[in-house]
Amino acid sequence: MITLKEALSKTPQEISEIRDQIMATAKANDLNAYIGFETADDGIPILMKDNIQVKDWSVTSGSKILQGYIAPYNATVVEKMQEKGFVPFGRANMDEFAMGSTTESSYYGITKNPHDTSRVPGGSSGGSAAAVAAGLAIAALGSDTGGSVRQPAAYCGVVGFKPTYGRVSRYGLAAYASSLDQIGTITQTVEDAAILYDAIKGHDPKDSTSAEFEIEDIANNLDIDRTLTIAVIDNYISEADDDIQKAYAFAVEKLKEAGHTIIHKEMTNTKYDIATYYIVATAEAATNLARFDGIRYGRQAENVKNLQELYFKSRSEGFGEEVKRRILLGNFVLSSGYYDAYYLKAQKVRHLIQDEFNVIFDEADMILSPVAPSVAPKIGTSSDPLEMYKSDMYTIAINLAGLPALSLPIMKNDDGMPIGLQLIGKAFNDKVVFDAAASLERAVKYKSN
Ligand code: GLN
């Protein structure tokens, strides 16, 4: 598939032919990366995760409860993209309401990993990553609340970028956990990620958490030869599988050869990441998902006797198991008597996690970290929720701290499965993340086939 950069130099006629080709191949393909094939006006097609609203298109967030729901307006990212000649195209499969790490919880079926169809593509933006990796999309948008752009990108051997919190408007993104959610990009190259990020970033008065100051465009100003200080968190690495550690050691060598300075650090609060994230995320999710009552959005239960039963049946029938688990957990940690013990405490620990990153960033420009402790697991092997939550150990702290991070493919293991690593930057230093990532991408020479 041509890159986004290459697409920019094609004529409208060539682009429309490429779009028709993508549509035909995607329809014939059985990865189940797409759950809809909507297409818009002329322009370079960008695949949309199915939780980003495109006016007059169906949008389901991978849930039965939103079956039949039609978006009444465009997400801000869609409006911004269109100004740059990029148009929304197709709807990518995802874990229901972006809750999951495997794209197995979608009401619309499991998505498969194109490198090995017995494995998951990661999640929750698994459809976006699988499609870009399989040549079924030029580039895609996803959302990252705790790793959902970076982890599927790593599992599928493509580039996933999660911007600093506040850099990309969340207006029109179905809310999972509002203080963590951020729309991100899934692309074939680091440069493509910069091109797409440049198109969607920027202040939006419709999102009260949107940062008000603008930043320079990145794609045209990439500084691939600058040298940086990159921190390695030693106690992080030992918890990953051997092949991840091997890729990590390889990347560190390549960064040194490219002239970067590597420093070694420890982070002691990482043991609290998972507990903190799953308290904050489920509390916010329980609140956000309260609006799905069978009246205002999507699917409504039939044959009900009264209002109480309408709510009860619509929600019981409409939400899947994982979403229900999180609503229960979220309401539990917010309930009186437990609020202080869980939710308030988690908010305090969140600050400690942020502070610890700041201490590292006093000395380093960037942190290099695994994205996941293993390569993509087999389909059907992530049924224990706690085990699945644990596999988010490397990605969720970045959302708790609101930092920018980019995951890029480094090498493949002996089974041919891609391994990605992430570069994590200071808040609002997204540009530096791209500079370092472009340098690492050049140094490792990853080949997708
Ligand atoms: N796997 C994490 C979760 O289930 C992250 C998901 C996401 O980033 N949307 O919450």
Side-chain angles (χ1 to χ4, degrees), residues 273-289:
D273 291 355
I274 291 169
T276 308
Y277 171 87
Y278 276 95
I279 291 171
V280 173
T282 56
E284 293 184 16
T287 312
N288 278 325
L289 268 54

Side-chain angles (χ1 to χ4, degrees), residues 16 38 44 53 88 101 114 119 171 226 229 242 274 298 331 333 344 371 411 419 424 430 437 444:
S16 107
E38 281 86 347
I44 298 170
Q53 300 212 76
S101 312
R119 292 176 189 266
Y171 182 72
R226 82 194 281 185
T229 302
D242 288 350
I274 291 169
N331 283 323
V333 299
L344 209 60
V371 177
M411 65 195 304
I419 298 172
I424 307 159
D430 305 49
V444 298

Side-chain angles (χ1 to χ4, degrees), residues 82-409:
Q82 282 171 335
E83 285 166 24
K84 298 280 168 77
F86 302 121
V87 295
F89 171 84
R91 297 188 293 109
N93 201 13
M94 57 181 282
D95 277 303
E96 187 180 1
F97 284 108
M99 298 171 189
S101 312
T102 61
T103 314
E104 292 173 293
S105 74
S106 168
Y107 178 66
Y108 306 95
I110 293 168
T111 296
K112 297 172 197 156
N113 191 311
H115 293 272
D116 173 352
T117 52
S118 70
R119 292 176 189 266
V120 304
S124 64
S125 315
S128 302
V132 174
L136 304 175
I138 298 173
L141 291 185
S143 64
D144 191 313
T145 303
S148 277
V149 158
R150 289 161 288 149
Q151 183 257 35
Y155 282 180
C156 292
V158 290
V159 174
F161 176 62
K162 179 237 168 251
T164 299
Y165 184 81
R167 277 268 60 121
V168 173
S169 171
R170 293 181 295 108
Y171 182 72
L173 168 71
Y176 162 13
S178 310
S179 77
L180 305 162
D181 296 340
Q182 199 61 184
I183 292 175
T185 60
I186 297 187
T187 55
Q188 301 167 63
T189 65
V190 172
E191 189 179 22
D192 277 7
I195 293 170
L196 193 51
Y197 174 54
D198 284 341
I200 61 169
K201 72 178 168 32
H203 178 58
D204 178 15
K206 293 188 190 126
D207 172 359
S208 61
T209 59
S210 162
E212 288 202 24
F213 58 94
E214 299 296 332
I215 50 167
E216 60 178 339
D217 273 357
I218 294 173
N220 290 329
N221 296 301
L222 271 182
D223 189 355
I224 188 165
D225 292 316
R226 82 194 281 185
T227 52
L228 298 156
T229 302
I230 300 176
V232 163
I233 312 298
D234 288 322
N235 59 315
Y236 247 46
I237 320 306
S238 53
E239 298 189 41
D241 284 358
D242 288 350
D243 44 7
I244 308 289
Q245 296 199 34
K246 197 170 140 199
Y248 193 88
F250 173 70
V252 168
E253 264 330 291
K254 289 291 166 190
L255 286 168
K256 280 190 197 155
E257 278 170 33
H260 301 289
T261 305
I262 303 291
I263 59 171
H264 291 264
K265 293 277 158 197
E266 300 265 316
M267 282 180 91
T268 50
N269 288 330
T270 51
K271 56 180 175 293
Y272 303 119
D273 291 355
I274 291 169
T276 308
Y277 171 87
Y278 276 95
I279 291 171
V280 173
T282 56
E284 293 184 16
T287 312
N288 278 325
L289 268 54
R291 73 190 63 161
F292 300 106
D293 52 10
I295 294 176
R296 284 169 294 180
Y297 306 95
R299 209 182 153 277
Q300 191 168 79
E302 287 166 3
N303 305 323
V304 293
K305 289 194 272 315
N306 52 39
L307 188 63
Q308 180 79 6
E309 201 179 313
L310 174 68
Y311 292 153
F312 185 81
K313 269 186 98 179
S314 298
R315 285 171 70 82
S316 303
E317 292 169 5
F319 290 132
E321 196 184 331
E322 184 58 31
V323 173
K324 283 180 189 156
R325 183 175 5 258
R326 298 199 189 195
I327 292 173
L328 288 173
L329 275 171
N331 283 323
F332 174 75
V333 299
L334 289 175
S335 56
S336 73
Y338 294 105
Y339 182 89
D340 290 359
Y342 294 109
Y343 186 69
L344 209 60
K345 193 154 187 182
Q347 291 292 14
K348 289 180 185 161
V349 178
R350 183 174 185 177
H351 281 288
L352 294 178
I353 292 168
Q354 285 164 342
D355 289 347
E356 203 170 21
F357 275 112
N358 288 336
V359 170
I360 307 272
F361 288 133
D362 282 343
E363 288 177 60
D365 301 301
M366 192 86 23
I367 296 171
L368 178 73
S369 142
V371 177
S374 69
V375 296
K378 294 271 184 188
I379 289 169
T381 57
S382 306
S383 49
D384 177 346
L386 205 56
E387 286 306 313
M388 188 179 75
Y389 301 167
K390 281 200 217 156
S391 72
D392 295 331
M393 59 187 285
Y394 292 119
T395 46
I396 53 190
I398 286 85
N399 300 71
L400 288 168
L403 306 175
L406 186 146
S407 141
L408 78 161

Side-chain angles (χ1 to χ4, degrees), residues 52-64:
I52 301 173
Q53 300 212 76
V54 183
K55 191 172 186 310
D56 298 333
W57 287 17
S58 158
V59 58
T60 68
S61 278
S63 183
K64 182 178 175 185

